[in-house]
Amino acid sequence: MTDRQAPRAKDRPWLMRTYAGHSTAEASNALYRRNLAKGQTGLSVAFDLPTQTGYDPDHVLARGEVGRVGVPVSHLGDMRRLFRDIPLERTNTSMTINATAMWLLALYQVVAEEQGADPALLRGTTQNDIVKEYLSRGTHVFPPVPSLRLTTDMITYTVHHLPKWNPINICSYHLQEAGATPVQEIAYAMSTAIAVLDAVFASGRIPVERRGEVVGRISFFVNAGVRFVEEMCKMRAFSRVWDRITRERYGIEDAGHRRFRYGVQVNSLGLTEAQPENNVQRIVLEMLAVTLSRDARARAVQLPAWNEALGLPRPWDQQWSLRIQQVLADESDLLEYGDLFDGSRVVEEKVAGLVGEAFEEIGRIEEMGGALAAVESGYLKSRLVAAHAERRARIESGEERIVGVNCYESTEPSPLTADLDGAVMTVDPANEARVVAALVAWREARDGARAAAALAALRTAAASTDNLMAATVECARAGVTTGEWSSALREVFGEFRAPTGVGGAPLAVTAEAGTPLAAVRAKAARTAEELRVGRLRLLVGKPGLDGHSNGAEQIAVRARDAGFEVVYQGIRLTPEQIVAAAVAEDVHCVGLSILSGSHAALVPDVLGRLREAGAGDLPVIVGGIIPNADARALRAAGVAAVFTPKDFGITTIIGRIVDEIRTANRLEPLEVSV
């Protein structure tokens, strides 16, 4: 016997994906085909914000957003070009789409049929978790009840027509980015799953004997942070909670149907702009948390790129992330062994604790009437905002250490970022006009009568209790556009503005004498006194379609705690609405938060409208993922200050806001230590 025993047969590796899509369907198709040629084993489609929120590229809210954070898909022609020369019957495709998931699945099915594929053989996933959109991601469109109906209709349709498709990917990923603790991640995701399954089974469209098939096709999409042991235990706890719920609540006997099936993207929130080369080791550690534990191993993994805190990754950056997965799967011996953590008392105690606390929180949500009721009451959102505020406070105090950010900040010059503006991919600003022109041509060339009839049938179905999927598929075939499909449903269902959670968030940072927050409070109060107003007023605005509101919420909460009166109306506002609110509320500063890359178009629009309204002297600050060249251009256009992810000290930012208010009002600088 040698000292190296014969290994067991290797497990199959997980699906390897990169989250990709940009500019146009043609450009994204070329990227997908290159990635598949490099050994990627599944596609993960990123759609742009107009597509995610149900707007055509020529809508006023789509300005500056087209093709920025994903691919624009406005109609069947776009979907054909997106998957040209990619055989969908042999491809596993994940589509990150929620409010408009039914629409994109219909387009995908029709394109597959045009290729000659059997819909019964299509494999892939639509995310389709609308609850987390109300809480964190912000691409919701319709109110909770009709949104749940769309999800239910999709699930029941796929059981009968696309049996290998995962019709929902319940997503706790964005919950972690919004501040969720591991317990909250588990509890909120499972409460969403309960709401969905209860609605599906109550619909009467699934025979009792086929309930296991429904449960077996429910998948999850989770986040893995850098706290390796805790994250690995979280995955094991997820598995146990899901097994117990599906067995005890729904009576699912087949262990295969009860298996916790999840894909993962590791934590983009934890990537840093400062010393971004450190992101590589963060990504590796986070990947290990979801691959080392065989009994709770991810079924699919997509890794962010090292430079995502700087901007849009280039193809080479995505290749680097793919190679990280391939080295682990193909060069290491990980897949040759059973579960490495069986019998560990440390792991067992941690998992048991997470399971117990998660069921306690699930119970509280059930007492409120379930996940949808907890969304509508604002409970879930306020808990997430509070948890995020607490985490940010730990980072600012140094209690939670982030290498290169609040410790070990000295660094050698990095060749990776020697040319910061060239270290990320940029989208041609002229791309939007080309996409809009192509959309106009599509509308002119289609059979207008057939499209109108399909939309009329969709409205009729929406007003009834019919399954909406059949009418949606006909809309896809008839050449209806994304904005038209969504608009028809908006007419019937209405729209929804989710609670912001800001008002109910508790104080996260102490304001005792001698603390930085106390100094900023004193400076704000002194400035308000000199301006002869009760309190300084700050408008926090989210122009465009970017729904990542975490940063805006944290600024709003900390400004409130510093003594400001804060005007925050939530996401998805036009520049015109923001300026109207700034003038009506007579604010002293406007803060704009944009993470989608649309700052180059939207911020100058806000500045111009303020000048037209006679408020051109009002200081405007901007925060987001903004390349250096863009930041210089914004300051040259009149922006008072630009903040990016490297500016992690929120109290310091609030102090800077007070300084800008003083400068704009020609007050003497106030020397107060912050």
Side-chain angles (χ1 to χ4, degrees):
M1 176 72 69
T2 65
D3 59 356
R4 181 180 179 184
Q5 298 181 355
R8 63 190 291 276
K10 289 186 71 170
D11 289 335
R12 290 175 58 189
W14 51 92
L15 280 172
M16 298 183 192
R17 293 180 166 133
T18 53
Y19 182 54
H22 66 88
S23 301
T24 64
E26 293 87 348
S28 299
N29 171 265
L31 178 61
Y32 296 160
R33 287 188 285 117
R34 287 202 305 271
N35 286 346
L36 290 170
K38 293 172 183 175
Q40 184 173 299
T41 52
L43 293 178
S44 181
V45 182
F47 295 100
D48 72 354
L49 290 175
T51 304
Q52 292 185 51
T53 51
Y55 293 105
D56 284 334
D58 57 353
H59 192 279
V60 62
L61 276 170
R63 184 184 176 201
E65 307 280 15
V66 177
R68 287 281 177 184
V69 299
V71 56
V73 175
S74 303
H75 46 72
L76 184 60
D78 286 339
M79 193 64 101
R80 287 172 182 149
R81 290 188 291 275
L82 184 63
F83 292 108
R84 182 176 59 84
D85 297 329
I86 298 175
L88 297 186
E89 193 172 270
R90 302 197 304 271
T91 303
N92 192 307
T93 304
S94 171
M95 295 191 284
T96 302
I97 197 77
N98 295 281
T100 55
M102 177 181 285
W103 174 241
L104 272 297
L105 180 59
L107 293 173
Y108 188 88
Q109 177 187 330
V110 173
V111 168
E113 290 172 346
E114 290 178 347
Q115 291 183 355
D118 180 355
L121 298 179
L122 295 180
R123 292 179 179 271
T125 304
T126 30
Q127 193 168 101
N128 200 20
D129 173 3
I130 202 65
V131 171
K132 72 98 170 57
E133 296 300 320
Y134 300 129
L135 300 178
S136 55
R137 180 60 185 83
T139 66
H140 55 271
V141 176
F142 313 111
V145 172
S147 292
L148 183 58
R149 175 189 169 185
L150 287 169
T151 300
T152 301
D153 284 356
M154 259 189 71
I155 292 173
T156 57
Y157 177 86
T158 56
V159 168
H160 296 291
H161 299 280
L162 286 76
K164 296 183 181 295
W165 191 267
N166 300 322
I168 186 170
N169 196 272
I170 294 169
C171 179
S172 68
Y173 175 88
H174 293 100
L175 299 182
Q176 185 179 107
E177 291 209 330
T181 66
V183 168
Q184 290 172 329
E185 282 184 68
I186 298 169
Y188 298 173
M190 290 298 166
S191 294
T192 298
I194 288 170
V196 169
L197 286 175
D198 283 357
V200 169
F201 296 148
S203 72
R205 294 172 180 160
I206 302 295
V208 173
E209 64 273 15
R210 300 193 67 179
R211 287 188 171 189
E213 296 176 42
V214 174
V215 171
R217 297 248 61 90
I218 301 294
S219 61
F220 293 80
F221 189 69
V222 303
N223 198 334
V226 77
R227 290 176 56 81
F228 166 78
V229 175
E230 184 173 66
E231 294 296 287
M232 186 271 296
C233 291
K234 180 185 76 180
M235 302 310 170
R236 296 171 79 93
F238 253 126
S239 182
R240 291 190 193 180
V241 172
W242 182 240
D243 183 81
R244 178 172 154 186
I245 288 173
T246 54
R247 185 179 67 253
E248 296 181 1
R249 188 180 184 101
Y250 301 112
I252 307 302
E253 298 295 334
D254 187 328
H257 287 156
R258 296 199 310 270
R259 182 179 178 184
F260 179 68
R261 301 162 59 250
Y262 77 97
V264 64
Q265 173 163 318
V266 305
N267 188 13
S268 294
L269 177 68
L271 303 182
T272 63
E273 180 182 7
Q275 299 181 25
E277 63 274 11
N278 294 334
N279 293 333
V280 176
Q281 51 264 38
R282 292 184 179 108
I283 290 167
V284 171
L285 282 172
E286 293 163 351
M287 176 184 64
L288 291 177
V290 298
T291 54
L292 284 188
S293 178
R294 181 179 183 272
D295 292 345
R297 182 172 293 151
R299 299 283 289 272
V301 177
Q302 58 193 46
L303 303 182
W306 68 276
N307 56 349
E308 286 197 19
L310 304 175
L312 189 65
R314 301 158 299 187
W316 183 85
D317 307 312
Q318 293 188 327
Q319 174 183 299
W320 191 356
S321 291
L322 176 62
R323 296 293 186 248
I324 291 173
Q325 296 194 60
Q326 291 168 331
V327 168
L328 178 64
D330 295 334
E331 295 188 26
S332 85
D333 58 352
L334 172 65
L335 299 177
E336 298 171 8
Y337 297 94
D339 197 282
L340 304 179
F341 302 99
D342 279 349
S344 167
R345 287 182 298 177
V346 171
V347 170
E348 181 55 37
E349 288 176 6
K350 181 65 176 177
V351 171
L354 290 171
V355 169
E357 291 181 58
F359 272 114
E360 288 179 7
E361 182 66 4
I362 291 169
R364 280 190 284 272
I365 293 169
E366 287 284 285
E367 290 174 0
M368 296 176 188
L372 294 188
V375 166
E376 292 176 319
S377 71
Y379 169 77
L380 295 183
K381 182 65 174 180
S382 65
R383 296 301 302 151
L384 289 176
V385 172
H388 196 190
E390 291 166 4
R391 178 179 181 272
R392 291 299 300 256
R394 292 194 301 271
I395 293 172
E396 289 183 69
S397 70
E399 177 186 349
E400 185 170 324
R401 291 160 69 86
I402 301 179
V403 173
V405 174
N406 64 359
C407 61
Y408 311 116
E409 297 170 60
S410 62
T411 181
E412 297 295 329
S414 169
L416 290 174
T417 56
D419 176 13
L420 270 177
D421 296 324
V424 294
M425 190 173 76
T426 58
V427 175
D428 182 358
N431 177 71
E432 185 167 315
R434 291 192 291 266
V435 173
V436 169
L439 171 66
V440 172
W442 173 268
R443 290 196 190 114
E444 291 175 349
R446 72 185 176 183
D447 183 340
R450 183 180 180 185
L455 286 168
L458 177 67
R459 294 187 191 92
T460 300
S464 72
T465 58
D466 293 348
N467 189 309
L468 288 168
M469 195 68 199
T472 296
V473 170
E474 171 53 24
C475 282
R477 292 192 176 112
V480 166
T481 68
T482 297
E484 291 168 341
W485 179 86
S486 299
S487 180
L489 295 184
R490 282 181 168 100
E491 291 177 26
V492 180
F493 296 151
E495 293 190 71
F496 184 72
R497 293 195 69 80
T500 67
V502 168
L507 182 72
V509 178
T510 61
E512 300 170 356
T515 63
L517 184 58
V520 172
R521 285 180 67 108
K523 183 158 64 170
R526 173 72 176 275
T527 302
E529 181 181 342
E530 292 181 39
L531 294 175
R532 298 181 181 179
V533 296
R535 288 190 293 169
L536 297 181
R537 291 182 295 279
L538 171 68
L539 184 144
V540 177
K542 290 284 296 175
L545 297 176
D546 170 37
H548 285 104
S549 59
N550 304 330
E553 291 157 0
Q554 294 308 309
I555 291 292
V557 169
R558 193 67 56 84
R560 177 204 66 186
D561 295 342
F564 277 77
E565 179 182 335
V566 178
V567 179
Y568 177 53
Q569 299 171 326
I571 63 172
R572 215 177 299 167
L573 299 172
T574 64
E576 183 179 18
Q577 290 171 321
I578 289 172
V579 170
V583 172
E585 299 289 345
D586 193 23
V587 300
H588 299 98
C589 182
V590 173
L592 303 177
S593 171
I594 307 174
L595 282 80
S596 65
S598 60
H599 49 265
L602 297 180
V603 174
D605 193 357
V606 171
L607 292 172
R609 290 178 184 276
L610 284 171
R611 287 191 292 269
E612 291 173 5
D617 293 335
L618 193 63
V620 174
I621 64 167
V622 180
I625 299 176
I626 302 173
N628 283 351
D630 288 0
R632 290 192 295 270
L634 291 178
R635 285 191 289 267
V639 169
V642 176
F643 299 101
T644 65
K646 71 178 183 299
D647 303 300
F648 69 94
I650 300 180
T651 300
T652 301
I653 291 173
I654 303 303
R656 282 283 308 280
I657 291 173
V658 179
D659 291 339
E660 296 301 338
I661 291 173
R662 295 187 66 84
T663 298
N665 287 276
R666 299 178 176 81
L667 300 179
E668 292 294 325
L670 192 60
E671 296 297 330
V672 178
S673 177
V674 179

